[in-house]
Amino acid sequence: DSPPLWNATNFKMIFRTKAAVDVALAYDLCYAAWPEDFRSRVAAELEKRAGEFVRGGGQGFNNRPQSNWIGNTKAAGGLLALAVRGDPGATANADRLAAQARAGFFDYLANAYGDRGWCAEGFNYMRYPMTTSGFPFLQALRIAEGRDVVTGTPAEWIAPMYVMHLVNTPRGPYVPFFGLNYPFTGREVSGFEQMYERTRWRSGDLPMVLGSASDRYRPAVLWTLRRVVGLDGDGTFDIYKPADAAYALANLALSAEKPANPAQTLPLAVEDRRFGSYLFRSRWQDENDFVAALNLNADPQPATYSFQDAGSFRLYGLGVRWADQRSRRDLDWKVNISRDLENVVRVAG
């Protein structure tokens, strides 16, 4: 289960993107220190990988625009192309690849996300493509274009989704979870025991979110980051993989922005009309906050990890998970959720 290496070819494409994104990050960080001939070699290889990711394909590739495969690969290809365009070793094709990746990634956002940031594949499968390459790509676009690239797009409400969901509990960060892919740690597969997954598949979210969030929501994200994973929270700064630390340094430690309680910019109730997702929060203060979530699954997406039930709800408050997704410690993690395993609102007749 070790991560695919940079030169691995016998893995699914979505498993290869993370290593390539990390090489692109190293390329930017070490550019001045690397010899010119070595830089040119790396730039040429990054452009080659960018072309592969933008085209897609290979073992098990899901080319549906709403699939996390598209979000993962298009964003990775775009990030690699932006990292090397105009540099020795890259060609004029890098600009074209960056533009194609941008269009493909925003098409993914338009198909996979609702009008208030809810992902058709659930919160955890939103985290996978976005922390692998989506958030870094959005931040790279923000820098390359010199402007806020998410306001007015489906990506605008992704940052508020984190702020609405996350609670700092005595056991650590918690999020009311929906979806077929449970958070897990090692061999333990459980939606109940696992509070907020930090593995090589998902970590570093909040510092990355801060780097790509709409300007109006950045103070709320910063408040959440500090209270949940910062010095006032679990102290991890959401760092699990080495690259996570780079985003934390760039977007948190070097930021002069001041946090603000999310109540200043966010409502206490959010409705995603497209997917029928509803989030309610009593306040933003501590582990005694109440968070309630209801998912009507109003627009299920084919060929994705779209949640199969309708009417499921979650309820957290006063440090207790009153209604949660049932544990699957002893179940096959790929088994579908049924109403018998869910919290579902039923209406007689």
Side-chain angles (χ1 to χ4, degrees):
D1 194 39
S2 60
L5 301 177
W6 160 252
N7 60 353
T9 58
N10 58 335
F11 287 88
K12 294 179 180 179
M13 188 174 286
I14 56 170
F15 295 166
R16 296 171 49 216
T17 51
K18 177 57 181 171
V21 167
D22 287 350
V23 171
L25 181 61
Y27 175 82
D28 270 353
L29 293 174
C30 304
Y31 189 87
W34 284 352
E36 184 176 348
D37 61 336
F38 182 68
R39 288 201 308 259
S40 296
R41 285 170 50 204
V42 175
E45 285 296 321
L46 285 170
E47 183 181 329
K48 177 182 176 182
R49 301 296 167 88
E52 293 176 9
F53 296 155
V54 172
R55 288 190 300 272
Q59 180 186 354
F61 193 81
N62 187 340
N63 62 2
R64 299 293 184 97
Q66 67 270 31
S67 169
N68 66 89
W69 288 66
I70 294 297
N72 183 316
T73 55
K74 297 294 187 185
L79 181 68
L80 270 56
L82 286 178
V84 302
R85 67 177 185 174
D87 290 350
T91 70
N93 193 41
D95 275 319
R96 181 179 64 85
L97 289 172
Q100 289 179 336
R102 190 189 197 285
F105 182 66
F106 276 86
D107 189 45
Y108 158 73
L109 294 173
N111 282 277
Y113 292 81
D115 54 288
R116 286 298 181 267
W118 181 255
C119 180
E121 297 192 282
F123 188 78
N124 220 37
Y125 246 118
M126 177 270 289
R127 293 183 64 200
Y128 176 45
M130 294 305 294
T131 59
T132 299
S133 54
F135 290 134
F137 184 42
L138 288 174
Q139 182 166 356
L141 284 173
R142 182 186 181 104
I143 295 170
E145 299 181 13
R147 65 183 184 90
D148 175 356
V149 298
V150 301
T151 298
T153 77
E156 181 178 2
W157 273 86
I158 295 178
M161 277 292 99
Y162 279 85
V163 177
M164 289 292 297
H165 274 86
L166 276 166
V167 180
N168 186 24
T169 77
R171 291 182 56 197
Y174 167 73
V175 60
F177 180 77
F178 294 92
L180 295 182
N181 185 54
Y182 277 65
F184 68 92
T185 301
R187 293 178 180 273
E188 178 182 313
V189 180
S190 169
F192 189 81
E193 284 80 8
Q194 177 64 32
M195 299 289 289
Y196 179 71
E197 181 181 341
R198 285 197 189 98
T199 67
R200 70 179 179 92
W201 304 105
R202 297 164 183 86
S203 67
D205 303 48
L206 286 174
M208 293 184 193
V209 170
L210 185 63
S212 59
S214 176
D215 291 342
R216 65 183 292 205
Y217 297 128
R218 287 166 64 87
V221 173
L222 186 57
W223 187 95
T224 302
L225 194 157
R226 292 189 174 182
R227 289 295 187 98
V228 178
V229 299
L231 294 180
D232 296 331
D234 67 7
T236 65
F237 292 92
D238 228 0
I239 296 171
Y240 179 85
K241 302 182 295 291
D244 297 341
Y247 293 102
L249 177 64
N251 297 332
L252 181 61
L254 301 181
S255 173
E257 203 155 20
K258 294 184 177 181
N261 190 286
Q264 297 182 23
T265 53
L266 286 174
L268 295 177
V270 172
E271 176 192 23
D272 189 303
R273 294 190 176 184
R274 178 186 174 190
F275 289 121
S277 172
Y278 299 82
L279 280 171
F280 307 90
R281 185 151 186 150
S282 62
R283 62 182 187 178
W284 284 271
Q285 186 170 324
D286 53 30
E287 68 273 11
N288 292 321
D289 297 355
F290 269 87
V291 178
L294 173 67
N295 184 8
L296 299 183
N297 196 20
D299 187 17
Q301 297 295 298
T304 68
Y305 282 101
S306 181
F307 191 62
Q308 293 187 344
D309 203 2
S312 300
F313 65 93
R314 308 284 183 262
L315 179 61
Y316 170 92
L318 302 177
V320 178
R321 285 175 283 172
W322 301 100
D324 207 347
Q325 188 155 289
R326 180 173 170 177
S327 171
R328 277 180 166 174
R329 181 188 296 275
D330 301 317
L331 298 177
D332 177 0
W333 73 280
K334 291 184 178 180
V335 69
N336 291 336
I337 298 292
S338 68
R339 288 184 178 271
D340 292 335
L341 295 176
E342 261 298 346
N343 310 296
V344 181
V345 177
R346 301 194 183 195
V347 179

